[in-house]
Amino acid sequence: MAKKRPQTKAARPQLTDGEIPVVGAREPCPCGSGRRYKACHGKAAAEAVTELVQRPFEGLPGECDWVALRELVPAATVPLTLKGGLLEGVPSVTLATVLPMAWPALRRDDGSVLLGLQNDTASGDISRDLADTLQRALEAEPGSPVQARRAPADGPRLQDLLDPEGAFEPVVHTGFEFWVPDAENATPEVTASLERANAAAIPTVRLTGVDAAYWCETPEKNHLRWVMPHPEEQLLDALARLHAAGRSSLGEGTRLVGSFRAHGLTVPVWDLPREMGAQDVEKPAAEFAERLAEALASDAPLTADERRARGGLTNRQVTLS
């Protein structure tokens, strides 16, 4: 009987840190160490991607509107401008609040790309996760959705892919019909998803006279939610000055009730009467913006009444992210 030849493992090429791809946590690490990925290079990658980026949209045109579309607006789209222009075979790239079946992105039959904003992300940096999804959508076959995955820790962010000089002009829709340019040929799954989404959408309108302010209608009352770019402490001081002086409302029957905190920005919220529509709040909002600018410019210490007003506003803050 012939002797069995001793088996030896072929030497695996050693990769540098920058060349090591992301694999499953329990798979062998591609570096060739023999350990599982999660115990080797995946450990550093996991720590990198779980670090929370407080302002993921900072530096992008329309940061306040990015926050609003991520957290507050049911149905909206925005054309996106890529650095270097559109790729061959990609006629357009559009950001959408939500896509059918909760897809992260979709490459349509005509080659155009839809990027979903209101999706769960795998890391603490929404910008990096969205950039990874966008890159994969640009390379996907026309007519196919893009599935979720964990983005590489060293991958690009939206700030690396989008033109910093490009306009960011959201279009708010009454429903999600923008999902299906050819509704007659939509699949039953997409049609059912569209019906569910339309039924749950809260009527929302973006004001035209001020930036990133959104009127919305709920069964009991209307609201104005206004994403503001100012540092939180400075903004709360300014709102407290106006509140203590009785100048924080938007007219009769309206009331500043608190604020949201979302992605590093503050979102004051007003209750509005049911009969006060979006057009009715345009002028009061513009006038409030002037009062707020004056209050933001003040560096005087807060009075006792202003400190009490500030405490009340702080107690009525809700963190969304």
Side-chain angles (χ1 to χ4, degrees):
M1 195 177 213
K3 289 185 177 180
K4 292 183 178 179
R5 301 177 66 179
Q7 296 180 349
T8 59
K9 293 184 178 180
R12 298 182 62 181
Q14 296 296 311
L15 303 176
T16 64
D17 287 350
E19 298 174 331
I20 296 169
V22 175
V23 298
R26 303 178 70 84
E27 295 180 33
C29 186
C31 75
S33 67
R35 291 181 292 173
R36 289 179 176 175
Y37 180 70
K38 69 176 183 179
C40 192
H41 282 84
K43 185 176 181 181
E47 291 174 353
V49 298
T50 55
E51 182 179 354
L52 179 63
V53 176
Q54 297 290 342
R55 287 181 62 178
F57 306 118
E58 185 176 14
L60 291 173
E63 179 189 7
C64 294
D65 282 306
W66 277 92
V67 173
L69 269 56
R70 168 76 183 185
E71 300 293 341
L72 306 174
V73 181
T77 56
V78 189
L80 296 180
T81 305
L82 304 182
K83 286 183 178 177
L86 293 169
L87 304 179
E88 183 178 356
V90 181
S92 64
V93 176
T94 302
L95 182 72
T97 49
V98 181
L99 294 180
M101 316 297 291
W103 289 325
L106 172 66
R107 182 87 184 271
R108 282 180 161 161
D109 292 335
D110 66 354
S112 61
V113 168
L114 287 177
L115 176 66
L117 181 57
Q118 295 180 14
N119 289 307
D120 293 335
T121 54
S123 79
D125 187 354
I126 296 170
S127 178
R128 195 179 309 281
D129 291 330
L130 289 171
D132 177 70
T133 301
L134 175 56
Q135 281 191 316
R136 291 187 291 125
L138 291 169
E139 299 169 356
E141 290 294 324
S144 60
V146 174
Q147 303 301 327
R149 77 166 190 181
R150 184 176 61 189
D154 59 350
R157 308 178 72 237
L158 288 174
Q159 288 82 347
D160 302 315
L161 302 183
L162 301 183
D163 185 349
E165 302 300 324
F168 193 83
E169 300 175 353
V171 177
V172 179
H173 304 276
T174 57
F176 295 88
E177 282 71 21
F178 63 86
W179 286 354
V180 282
D182 185 7
E184 293 183 357
N185 294 320
T187 65
E189 292 82 1
V190 170
T191 300
S193 183
L194 173 62
E195 291 174 353
R196 289 193 300 270
N198 280 345
I202 296 173
T204 302
V205 176
R206 182 176 185 261
L207 300 193
T208 60
V210 294
D211 292 333
Y214 291 81
W215 171 96
C216 66
E217 179 184 3
T218 60
E220 295 184 358
K221 62 185 68 174
N222 300 337
H223 304 280
L224 183 70
R225 301 164 175 174
W226 192 342
V227 187
M228 296 187 172
H230 318 292
E232 180 180 6
E233 297 303 313
Q234 181 187 7
L235 177 58
L236 287 176
D237 281 353
L239 292 173
R241 295 181 197 278
L242 295 175
H243 202 61
R247 304 176 70 206
S248 65
S249 77
L250 299 174
E252 185 177 354
T254 71
R255 186 166 67 99
L256 175 63
V257 293
S259 62
F260 296 127
R261 183 188 290 118
H263 306 294
L265 298 182
T266 304
V267 188
V269 178
W270 286 262
D271 279 352
L272 310 174
R274 286 286 288 122
E275 64 273 12
M276 192 172 193
Q279 289 298 321
D280 300 323
V281 80
E282 287 278 8
K283 183 178 178 181
E287 293 171 347
F288 178 85
E290 295 179 359
R291 299 197 299 272
L292 180 63
E294 295 175 2
L296 287 166
S298 174
D299 58 1
L302 296 181
T303 66
D305 287 344
E306 290 168 348
R307 288 196 300 272
R308 281 192 291 271
R310 194 186 194 283
L313 292 171
T314 302
N315 290 337
R316 297 193 297 275
Q317 268 194 324
V318 176
T319 300
L320 299 181
S321 60

